[in-house]
PDB file of all heavy atoms in Angstrom:
ATOM      1  N   ALA A  57    -192.100  -2.277 -52.474  1.00  0.00           N
ATOM      2  CA  ALA A  57    -192.880  -3.162 -53.504  1.00  0.00           C
ATOM      3  C   ALA A  57    -191.933  -4.067 -54.213  1.00  0.00           C
ATOM      4  O   ALA A  57    -192.190  -5.262 -54.550  1.00  0.00           O
ATOM      5  CB  ALA A  57    -193.689  -2.342 -54.430  1.00  0.00           C
ATOM      6  N   LEU A  58    -190.762  -3.465 -54.567  1.00  0.00           N
ATOM      7  CA  LEU A  58    -189.755  -4.289 -55.395  1.00  0.00           C
ATOM      8  C   LEU A  58    -189.209  -5.545 -54.563  1.00  0.00           C
ATOM      9  O   LEU A  58    -189.058  -6.603 -54.971  1.00  0.00           O
ATOM     10  CB  LEU A  58    -188.610  -3.483 -55.795  1.00  0.00           C
ATOM     11  CG  LEU A  58    -187.421  -4.125 -56.508  1.00  0.00           C
ATOM     12  CD1 LEU A  58    -187.906  -4.768 -57.889  1.00  0.00           C
ATOM     13  CD2 LEU A  58    -186.348  -3.232 -56.843  1.00  0.00           C
ATOM     14  N   VAL A  59    -188.914  -5.189 -53.264  1.00  0.00           N
ATOM     15  CA  VAL A  59    -188.462  -6.229 -52.463  1.00  0.00           C
ATOM     16  C   VAL A  59    -189.446  -7.290 -52.270  1.00  0.00           C
ATOM     17  O   VAL A  59    -189.116  -8.523 -52.382  1.00  0.00           O
ATOM     18  CB  VAL A  59    -188.112  -5.613 -50.984  1.00  0.00           C
ATOM     19  CG1 VAL A  59    -187.926  -6.797 -49.937  1.00  0.00           C
ATOM     20  CG2 VAL A  59    -186.968  -4.684 -51.076  1.00  0.00           C
ATOM     21  N   ALA A  60    -190.833  -6.907 -52.038  1.00  0.00           N
ATOM     22  CA  ALA A  60    -191.919  -7.967 -51.948  1.00  0.00           C
ATOM     23  C   ALA A  60    -191.963  -8.800 -53.271  1.00  0.00           C
ATOM     24  O   ALA A  60    -192.209 -10.004 -53.249  1.00  0.00           O
ATOM     25  CB  ALA A  60    -193.217  -7.311 -51.631  1.00  0.00           C
ATOM     26  N   ARG A  61    -191.865  -8.067 -54.367  1.00  0.00           N
ATOM     27  CA  ARG A  61    -191.956  -8.819 -55.788  1.00  0.00           C
ATOM     28  C   ARG A  61    -190.838  -9.707 -55.895  1.00  0.00           C
ATOM     29  O   ARG A  61    -191.047 -10.961 -56.294  1.00  0.00           O
ATOM     30  CB  ARG A  61    -191.945  -7.805 -56.851  1.00  0.00           C
ATOM     31  CG  ARG A  61    -192.125  -8.415 -58.207  1.00  0.00           C
ATOM     32  CD  ARG A  61    -192.229  -7.471 -59.305  1.00  0.00           C
ATOM     33  NE  ARG A  61    -192.324  -8.201 -60.603  1.00  0.00           N
ATOM     34  CZ  ARG A  61    -192.401  -7.529 -61.743  1.00  0.00           C
ATOM     35  NH1 ARG A  61    -192.418  -6.198 -61.875  1.00  0.00           N
ATOM     36  NH2 ARG A  61    -192.541  -8.269 -62.942  1.00  0.00           N
ATOM     37  N   ARG A  62    -189.637  -9.288 -55.533  1.00  0.00           N
ATOM     38  CA  ARG A  62    -188.410 -10.295 -55.754  1.00  0.00           C
ATOM     39  C   ARG A  62    -188.544 -11.434 -54.822  1.00  0.00           C
ATOM     40  O   ARG A  62    -188.134 -12.529 -55.283  1.00  0.00           O
ATOM     41  CB  ARG A  62    -187.149  -9.465 -55.544  1.00  0.00           C
ATOM     42  CG  ARG A  62    -186.952  -8.307 -56.551  1.00  0.00           C
ATOM     43  CD  ARG A  62    -185.523  -7.937 -56.788  1.00  0.00           C
ATOM     44  NE  ARG A  62    -184.710  -9.027 -57.389  1.00  0.00           N
ATOM     45  CZ  ARG A  62    -183.444  -8.916 -57.475  1.00  0.00           C
ATOM     46  NH1 ARG A  62    -182.671  -7.950 -57.007  1.00  0.00           N
ATOM     47  NH2 ARG A  62    -182.770  -9.946 -58.147  1.00  0.00           N
ATOM     48  N   GLN A  63    -189.076 -11.300 -53.558  1.00  0.00           N
ATOM     49  CA  GLN A  63    -189.174 -12.425 -52.807  1.00  0.00           C
ATOM     50  C   GLN A  63    -190.247 -13.463 -53.318  1.00  0.00           C
ATOM     51  O   GLN A  63    -190.085 -14.633 -53.323  1.00  0.00           O
ATOM     52  CB  GLN A  63    -189.616 -11.974 -51.454  1.00  0.00           C
ATOM     53  CG  GLN A  63    -188.615 -11.338 -50.603  1.00  0.00           C
ATOM     54  CD  GLN A  63    -188.878 -11.031 -49.167  1.00  0.00           C
ATOM     55  OE1 GLN A  63    -189.973 -11.338 -48.647  1.00  0.00           O
ATOM     56  NE2 GLN A  63    -188.024 -10.454 -48.421  1.00  0.00           N
ATOM     57  N   ALA A  64    -191.328 -12.818 -53.859  1.00  0.00           N
ATOM     58  CA  ALA A  64    -192.368 -13.766 -54.475  1.00  0.00           C
ATOM     59  C   ALA A  64    -191.803 -14.498 -55.757  1.00  0.00           C
ATOM     60  O   ALA A  64    -192.061 -15.594 -55.944  1.00  0.00           O
ATOM     61  CB  ALA A  64    -193.610 -12.874 -54.913  1.00  0.00           C
ATOM     62  N   GLU A  65    -190.968 -13.841 -56.540  1.00  0.00           N
ATOM     63  CA  GLU A  65    -190.385 -14.323 -57.656  1.00  0.00           C
ATOM     64  C   GLU A  65    -189.466 -15.592 -57.188  1.00  0.00           C
ATOM     65  O   GLU A  65    -189.368 -16.580 -57.903  1.00  0.00           O
ATOM     66  CB  GLU A  65    -189.649 -13.323 -58.466  1.00  0.00           C
ATOM     67  CG  GLU A  65    -190.599 -12.270 -59.212  1.00  0.00           C
ATOM     68  CD  GLU A  65    -189.740 -11.147 -59.901  1.00  0.00           C
ATOM     69  OE1 GLU A  65    -188.590 -10.963 -59.632  1.00  0.00           O
ATOM     70  OE2 GLU A  65    -190.442 -10.576 -60.673  1.00  0.00           O
ATOM     71  N   GLN A  66    -188.630 -15.332 -56.217  1.00  0.00           N
ATOM     72  CA  GLN A  66    -187.782 -16.339 -55.759  1.00  0.00           C
ATOM     73  C   GLN A  66    -188.565 -17.460 -55.224  1.00  0.00           C
ATOM     74  O   GLN A  66    -188.056 -18.648 -55.494  1.00  0.00           O
ATOM     75  CB  GLN A  66    -186.836 -15.721 -54.657  1.00  0.00           C
ATOM     76  CG  GLN A  66    -185.772 -16.711 -54.212  1.00  0.00           C
ATOM     77  CD  GLN A  66    -184.931 -17.247 -55.200  1.00  0.00           C
ATOM     78  OE1 GLN A  66    -183.862 -16.576 -55.445  1.00  0.00           O
ATOM     79  NE2 GLN A  66    -185.251 -18.305 -55.777  1.00  0.00           N
ATOM     80  N   ARG A  67    -189.516 -17.251 -54.479  1.00  0.00           N
ATOM     81  CA  ARG A  67    -190.468 -18.471 -54.001  1.00  0.00           C
ATOM     82  C   ARG A  67    -190.899 -19.277 -55.122  1.00  0.00           C
ATOM     83  O   ARG A  67    -190.890 -20.450 -55.219  1.00  0.00           O
ATOM     84  CB  ARG A  67    -191.512 -18.073 -53.106  1.00  0.00           C
ATOM     85  CG  ARG A  67    -190.917 -17.454 -51.731  1.00  0.00           C
ATOM     86  CD  ARG A  67    -192.178 -17.342 -50.759  1.00  0.00           C
ATOM     87  NE  ARG A  67    -191.706 -16.693 -49.528  1.00  0.00           N
ATOM     88  CZ  ARG A  67    -191.720 -15.427 -49.185  1.00  0.00           C
ATOM     89  NH1 ARG A  67    -192.208 -14.488 -50.032  1.00  0.00           N
ATOM     90  NH2 ARG A  67    -191.263 -15.133 -47.922  1.00  0.00           N
ATOM     91  N   ALA A  68    -191.424 -18.535 -56.174  1.00  0.00           N
ATOM     92  CA  ALA A  68    -191.942 -19.197 -57.393  1.00  0.00           C
ATOM     93  C   ALA A  68    -190.842 -19.983 -58.168  1.00  0.00           C
ATOM     94  O   ALA A  68    -190.999 -21.094 -58.642  1.00  0.00           O
ATOM     95  CB  ALA A  68    -192.615 -18.233 -58.322  1.00  0.00           C
ATOM     96  N   ALA A  69    -189.631 -19.388 -58.282  1.00  0.00           N
ATOM     97  CA  ALA A  69    -188.622 -20.100 -58.926  1.00  0.00           C
ATOM     98  C   ALA A  69    -188.163 -21.302 -58.266  1.00  0.00           C
ATOM     99  O   ALA A  69    -187.955 -22.331 -58.895  1.00  0.00           O
ATOM    100  CB  ALA A  69    -187.398 -19.097 -59.131  1.00  0.00           C
ATOM    101  N   ALA A  70    -188.185 -21.211 -56.988  1.00  0.00           N
ATOM    102  CA  ALA A  70    -187.786 -22.372 -56.089  1.00  0.00           C
ATOM    103  C   ALA A  70    -188.763 -23.434 -56.265  1.00  0.00           C
ATOM    104  O   ALA A  70    -188.388 -24.584 -56.373  1.00  0.00           O
ATOM    105  CB  ALA A  70    -187.564 -21.982 -54.644  1.00  0.00           C
ATOM    106  N   ALA A  71    -189.971 -23.133 -56.206  1.00  0.00           N
ATOM    107  CA  ALA A  71    -191.092 -24.091 -56.320  1.00  0.00           C
ATOM    108  C   ALA A  71    -190.944 -24.986 -57.669  1.00  0.00           C
ATOM    109  O   ALA A  71    -191.289 -26.075 -57.704  1.00  0.00           O
ATOM    110  CB  ALA A  71    -192.389 -23.465 -56.213  1.00  0.00           C
ATOM    111  N   VAL A  72    -190.559 -24.269 -58.762  1.00  0.00           N
ATOM    112  CA  VAL A  72    -190.472 -24.873 -60.030  1.00  0.00           C
ATOM    113  C   VAL A  72    -189.423 -26.120 -59.866  1.00  0.00           C
ATOM    114  O   VAL A  72    -189.576 -27.194 -60.581  1.00  0.00           O
ATOM    115  CB  VAL A  72    -190.073 -23.963 -61.036  1.00  0.00           C
ATOM    116  CG1 VAL A  72    -189.606 -24.669 -62.325  1.00  0.00           C
ATOM    117  CG2 VAL A  72    -191.125 -22.998 -61.449  1.00  0.00           C
ATOM    118  N   LEU A  73    -188.437 -25.853 -59.043  1.00  0.00           N
ATOM    119  CA  LEU A  73    -187.446 -26.951 -58.952  1.00  0.00           C
ATOM    120  C   LEU A  73    -187.679 -27.930 -57.809  1.00  0.00           C
ATOM    121  O   LEU A  73    -186.993 -28.885 -57.477  1.00  0.00           O
ATOM    122  CB  LEU A  73    -186.135 -26.336 -58.492  1.00  0.00           C
ATOM    123  CG  LEU A  73    -185.575 -25.199 -59.521  1.00  0.00           C
ATOM    124  CD1 LEU A  73    -184.326 -24.485 -59.072  1.00  0.00           C
ATOM    125  CD2 LEU A  73    -185.530 -25.749 -61.010  1.00  0.00           C
ATOM    126  N   GLY A  74    -188.805 -27.754 -56.990  1.00  0.00           N
ATOM    127  CA  GLY A  74    -189.139 -28.729 -55.983  1.00  0.00           C
ATOM    128  C   GLY A  74    -188.659 -28.174 -54.627  1.00  0.00           C
ATOM    129  O   GLY A  74    -188.561 -28.898 -53.723  1.00  0.00           O
ATOM    130  N   VAL A  75    -188.299 -26.870 -54.424  1.00  0.00           N
ATOM    131  CA  VAL A  75    -187.726 -26.336 -53.246  1.00  0.00           C
ATOM    132  C   VAL A  75    -188.888 -25.346 -52.574  1.00  0.00           C
ATOM    133  O   VAL A  75    -189.375 -24.471 -53.353  1.00  0.00           O
ATOM    134  CB  VAL A  75    -186.470 -25.500 -53.509  1.00  0.00           C
ATOM    135  CG1 VAL A  75    -186.024 -24.796 -52.274  1.00  0.00           C
ATOM    136  CG2 VAL A  75    -185.446 -26.385 -54.088  1.00  0.00           C
ATOM    137  N   HIS A  76    -189.203 -25.614 -51.304  1.00  0.00           N
ATOM    138  CA  HIS A  76    -190.303 -24.833 -50.750  1.00  0.00           C
ATOM    139  C   HIS A  76    -189.884 -24.193 -49.426  1.00  0.00           C
ATOM    140  O   HIS A  76    -190.796 -23.506 -48.796  1.00  0.00           O
ATOM    141  CB  HIS A  76    -191.474 -25.818 -50.495  1.00  0.00           C
ATOM    142  CG  HIS A  76    -191.966 -26.531 -51.752  1.00  0.00           C
ATOM    143  ND1 HIS A  76    -192.679 -25.868 -52.820  1.00  0.00           N
ATOM    144  CD2 HIS A  76    -191.679 -27.716 -52.206  1.00  0.00           C
ATOM    145  CE1 HIS A  76    -192.876 -26.611 -53.747  1.00  0.00           C
ATOM    146  NE2 HIS A  76    -192.335 -27.817 -53.465  1.00  0.00           N
ATOM    147  N   ASP A  77    -188.640 -24.267 -49.050  1.00  0.00           N
ATOM    148  CA  ASP A  77    -188.174 -23.581 -47.867  1.00  0.00           C
ATOM    149  C   ASP A  77    -187.191 -22.509 -48.311  1.00  0.00           C
ATOM    150  O   ASP A  77    -185.986 -22.830 -48.626  1.00  0.00           O
ATOM    151  CB  ASP A  77    -187.487 -24.627 -46.979  1.00  0.00           C
ATOM    152  CG  ASP A  77    -186.956 -24.008 -45.585  1.00  0.00           C
ATOM    153  OD1 ASP A  77    -187.279 -22.830 -45.337  1.00  0.00           O
ATOM    154  OD2 ASP A  77    -186.217 -24.641 -44.784  1.00  0.00           O
ATOM    155  N   VAL A  78    -187.706 -21.289 -48.267  1.00  0.00           N
ATOM    156  CA  VAL A  78    -186.886 -20.138 -48.756  1.00  0.00           C
ATOM    157  C   VAL A  78    -186.810 -19.089 -47.698  1.00  0.00           C
ATOM    158  O   VAL A  78    -187.841 -18.660 -47.141  1.00  0.00           O
ATOM    159  CB  VAL A  78    -187.402 -19.512 -50.094  1.00  0.00           C
ATOM    160  CG1 VAL A  78    -186.534 -18.340 -50.619  1.00  0.00           C
ATOM    161  CG2 VAL A  78    -187.669 -20.584 -51.182  1.00  0.00           C
ATOM    162  N   ARG A  79    -185.533 -18.820 -47.188  1.00  0.00           N
ATOM    163  CA  ARG A  79    -185.349 -17.765 -46.079  1.00  0.00           C
ATOM    164  C   ARG A  79    -184.758 -16.523 -46.821  1.00  0.00           C
ATOM    165  O   ARG A  79    -183.904 -16.558 -47.588  1.00  0.00           O
ATOM    166  CB  ARG A  79    -184.487 -18.299 -45.143  1.00  0.00           C
ATOM    167  CG  ARG A  79    -184.597 -19.892 -44.690  1.00  0.00           C
ATOM    168  CD  ARG A  79    -185.752 -20.126 -43.852  1.00  0.00           C
ATOM    169  NE  ARG A  79    -185.872 -21.422 -43.488  1.00  0.00           N
ATOM    170  CZ  ARG A  79    -185.454 -22.033 -42.238  1.00  0.00           C
ATOM    171  NH1 ARG A  79    -184.817 -21.191 -41.454  1.00  0.00           N
ATOM    172  NH2 ARG A  79    -185.553 -23.201 -42.131  1.00  0.00           N
ATOM    173  N   PHE A  80    -185.164 -15.362 -46.151  1.00  0.00           N
ATOM    174  CA  PHE A  80    -184.567 -14.122 -46.746  1.00  0.00           C
ATOM    175  C   PHE A  80    -184.043 -13.422 -45.395  1.00  0.00           C
ATOM    176  O   PHE A  80    -184.770 -13.102 -44.399  1.00  0.00           O
ATOM    177  CB  PHE A  80    -185.656 -13.268 -47.228  1.00  0.00           C
ATOM    178  CG  PHE A  80    -186.351 -13.999 -48.467  1.00  0.00           C
ATOM    179  CD1 PHE A  80    -187.507 -14.669 -48.287  1.00  0.00           C
ATOM    180  CD2 PHE A  80    -185.813 -13.725 -49.802  1.00  0.00           C
ATOM    181  CE1 PHE A  80    -188.212 -15.158 -49.406  1.00  0.00           C
ATOM    182  CE2 PHE A  80    -186.403 -14.374 -50.870  1.00  0.00           C
ATOM    183  CZ  PHE A  80    -187.525 -15.045 -50.686  1.00  0.00           C
ATOM    184  N   LEU A  81    -182.735 -13.026 -45.496  1.00  0.00           N
ATOM    185  CA  LEU A  81    -182.029 -12.410 -44.321  1.00  0.00           C
ATOM    186  C   LEU A  81    -182.278 -10.908 -44.412  1.00  0.00           C
ATOM    187  O   LEU A  81    -182.196 -10.176 -43.354  1.00  0.00           O
ATOM    188  CB  LEU A  81    -180.638 -12.684 -44.297  1.00  0.00           C
ATOM    189  CG  LEU A  81    -180.201 -14.155 -44.106  1.00  0.00           C
ATOM    190  CD1 LEU A  81    -178.764 -14.310 -43.881  1.00  0.00           C
ATOM    191  CD2 LEU A  81    -181.087 -14.771 -42.965  1.00  0.00           C
ATOM    192  N   GLY A  82    -182.537 -10.227 -45.497  1.00  0.00           N
ATOM    193  CA  GLY A  82    -182.915  -8.905 -45.623  1.00  0.00           C
ATOM    194  C   GLY A  82    -181.833  -7.811 -45.457  1.00  0.00           C
ATOM    195  O   GLY A  82    -182.093  -6.739 -45.329  1.00  0.00           O
TER     196      GLY A  82
END
Side-chain angles (χ1 to χ4, degrees):
L58 177 61
V59 169
R61 180 176 180 184
R62 296 203 69 186
Q63 290 188 0
E65 290 172 346
Q66 181 62 86
R67 289 191 182 95
V72 168
L73 307 179
V75 177
H76 304 286
D77 183 7
V78 184
R79 318 287 183 93
F80 300 94
L81 298 188

